[in-house]
């Protein structure tokens, strides 16, 4: 009997359709729970800020932050793009947001280059818990994640304009997205593609001018930058700058740390220019880039790692030889990012105790990140796989 149950569970989780449907059921249940309890805080933030924007009011001030217990750190472009969802009935908008994001993320993983065909399901299964955590909180990070993936896919398919347009949509709504422009150096006609970025960015930044309720809508951008510059918290965020044992040295000098690490990564990236045509290297470069963005950010949360984890998973599965160290780090990520933060699998108090006492989650991903850097810039013992013309 137990053997049959075990075989049934194995079959279920080995079937992509079953796993997708399980995730969809959880998305619908989680969305319904939050809608009926009126606790979808992040969605209310998007909704209220969009309403204020179209009424000619600014959400980039302390009055808004105090009223909503959260800073609004998205650009006016976000309020334009979010408008179609905002005008939906109050109860329908959250479903469109969550179901749409879940389906688009699933499509992004399914559309990965054919070299990852054997691993797409396992990548999605690895990410499913983190995706559901993000969706439960109505996070914007999942959008950044699948835009990164879709842009990478479009670049691999030699469709640079559409890739750059997506990158700039992300960049002009929240700053994380702009970092992906660095990967353009790995593809042909980099200056043309950067020109596309400048053109698309200019058009997108002009979109808020459609709102005639403002005499000068561009004042909002200055207010937004001022708000980002003054944004701070007494809490410890989930990044290496705040990690136990490192915080006293890193956090007081976090801008210097960020610039030095970024400069070293840039030197290593350009030093390995001969590998730019390798699919493995391009994925590893994105894994390093997104990992740097999260680990060394001054305000990352557990949900934010959804931006970096897909590229870690791709880099992991494309490794021709995975050592005991790689598997140890992989399963540590599963425990610390997929199981412990999921309330239904682990009590919140236990996760908080483990994280706040040992910071195993941050250190685990930090060592995974260092491992990817070694794969990218270490001795070249990997097969060279190219996927663009």
């Amino acid at each position: 009997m137990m053997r049959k149950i075990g075989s049934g569970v194995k079959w279920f989780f080995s079937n992509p359709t079953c796993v997708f449907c399980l995730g969809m059921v959880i998305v619908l249940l989680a969305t319904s729970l939050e809608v009926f309890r009126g606790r979808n805080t992040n969605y209310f933030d998007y909704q209220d800020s969009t309403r204020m924007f179209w009424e000619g009011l600014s959400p980039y001030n302390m009055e808004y932050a105090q009223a909503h217990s959260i800073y609004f750190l998205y650009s006016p472009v976000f309020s334009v793009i979010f408008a179609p969802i905002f005008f939906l009935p109050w109860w329908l908008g959250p479903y469109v947001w969550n179901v749409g994001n879940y389906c688009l993320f699933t499509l992004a993983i399914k559309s990965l280059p054919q070299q990852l065909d054997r691993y797409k399901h396992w990548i999605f299964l690895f990410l499913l818990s983190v995706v559901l955590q993000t969706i439960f909180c109505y996070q914007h990070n999942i959008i950044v994640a699948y835009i990164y993936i879709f842009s990478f896919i479009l670049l691999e398919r030699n469709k640079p304009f559409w890739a750059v347009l997506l990158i700039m949509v992300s960049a002009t709504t929240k700053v994380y997205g702009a970092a992906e422009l660095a990967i353009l150096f790995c593809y042909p006609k980099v200056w043309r593609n950067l020109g596309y970025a400048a053109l698309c960015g200019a058009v997108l930044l002009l979109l808020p001018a459609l709102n005639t309720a403002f005499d000068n809508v561009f004042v909002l951008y200055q207010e937004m930058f001022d708000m980002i510059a003054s944004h701070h918290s007494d809490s410890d965020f989930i990044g290496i700058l705040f990690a136990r044992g490192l915080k006293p040295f890193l956090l007081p000098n976090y801008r210097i740390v960020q610039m030095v690490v970024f400069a070293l990564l840039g030197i290593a990236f350009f030093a390995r220019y001969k590998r730019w045509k390798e699919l493995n290297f391009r994925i590893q470069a994105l894994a390093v880039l997104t990992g740097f963005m999260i680990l060394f950010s001054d305000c990352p949360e557990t949900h934010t790692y959804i931006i970096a984890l897909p590229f870690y998973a791709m880099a992991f599965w494309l490794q021709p030889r995975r050592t005991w160290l790689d598997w140890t780090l992989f399963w540590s990520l599963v425990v610390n990012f997929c199981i412990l933060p999921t309330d239904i699998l682990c009590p919140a108090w236990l996760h908080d105790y483990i994280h706040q006492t040992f910071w195993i989650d941050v250190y685990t991903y930090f060592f995974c990140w260092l491992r990817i850097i070694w794969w990218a810039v270490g001795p070249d013992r990997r097969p060279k796989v190219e996927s663009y013309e």
Side-chain angles (χ1 to χ4, degrees), residues 148-322:
Y148 259 83
I149 299 169
F150 277 129
S151 301
F152 163 69
I153 292 167
L154 288 166
L155 286 169
E156 291 297 312
R157 295 180 180 180
N158 197 25
K159 297 180 179 179
F161 175 79
W162 299 109
V164 169
L165 176 60
L166 278 182
I167 293 172
M168 294 312 297
V169 167
S170 181
T172 55
T173 52
K174 198 171 184 182
V175 69
Y176 277 136
E180 194 174 7
L181 290 173
I183 201 64
L184 295 179
F185 285 99
C186 291
Y187 296 89
K189 301 181 179 178
V190 60
W191 297 112
R192 179 202 63 185
N193 294 338
L194 290 174
Y196 287 158
L199 176 63
C200 293
V203 172
L204 288 164
L205 290 173
L206 286 170
L207 281 181
L210 294 172
N211 182 6
T212 57
F214 289 96
D215 293 331
N216 183 2
V217 74
F218 297 102
V219 172
L220 289 179
Y221 286 109
Q222 183 61 54
E223 293 178 357
M224 179 192 72
F225 289 125
D226 292 342
M227 177 62 71
I228 292 173
S230 64
H231 172 231
H232 64 277
S233 172
D234 296 329
S235 302
D236 280 349
F237 289 100
I238 318 299
I240 200 68
L241 298 174
F242 302 86
R244 184 176 294 273
L246 295 179
K247 179 181 176 180
F249 307 99
L250 299 183
L251 191 59
N253 307 295
Y254 72 99
R255 289 300 184 207
I256 296 174
V257 172
Q258 290 168 340
M259 289 189 291
V260 169
V261 174
F262 185 75
L264 292 174
L265 293 176
I267 292 170
F269 175 74
F270 284 102
R272 289 295 182 266
Y273 69 93
K274 292 182 179 179
R275 295 188 185 177
W276 288 359
K277 289 188 176 182
E278 300 173 24
L279 175 65
N280 285 18
F281 180 84
R282 294 192 295 274
I283 289 175
Q284 290 159 1
L286 281 168
V288 172
L289 176 65
T290 53
F292 166 76
M293 285 166 41
I294 310 308
L295 281 169
F296 291 87
S297 171
D298 48 328
C299 55
E301 300 174 304
T302 300
H303 310 296
T304 318
Y305 283 80
I306 189 60
I307 299 170
L309 286 171
F311 292 101
Y312 162 79
M314 292 180 224
F316 174 82
W317 286 112
L318 278 182
Q319 274 301 107
R321 181 172 175 266
R322 293 176 286 276

Side-chain angles (χ1 to χ4, degrees), residues 46-91:
Y46 309 144
Q47 198 174 45
D48 289 351
S49 60
T50 300
R51 174 184 53 77
M52 290 177 66
F53 169 78
W54 289 105
E55 290 176 354
L57 302 173
S58 172
Y60 306 107
N61 50 60
M62 289 305 300
E63 290 79 7
Y64 181 93
Q66 291 169 357
H68 293 77
S69 301
I70 192 171
Y71 292 91
F72 185 69
L73 301 177
Y74 304 90
S75 80
V77 178
F78 176 88
S79 297
V80 176
I81 296 174
F82 186 76
I85 299 179
F86 166 73
F87 287 112
L88 293 173
W90 69 269
W91 59 268

Side-chain angles (χ1 to χ4, degrees), residues 10 12 18 41 52 75 84 106 130 135 263 268 281 297 310 321 345:
K10 182 178 180 181
F12 183 90
C18 291
T41 307
M52 290 177 66
S75 80
T106 304
V130 187
I135 284 176
F281 180 84
S297 171
R321 181 172 175 266
L345 300 177

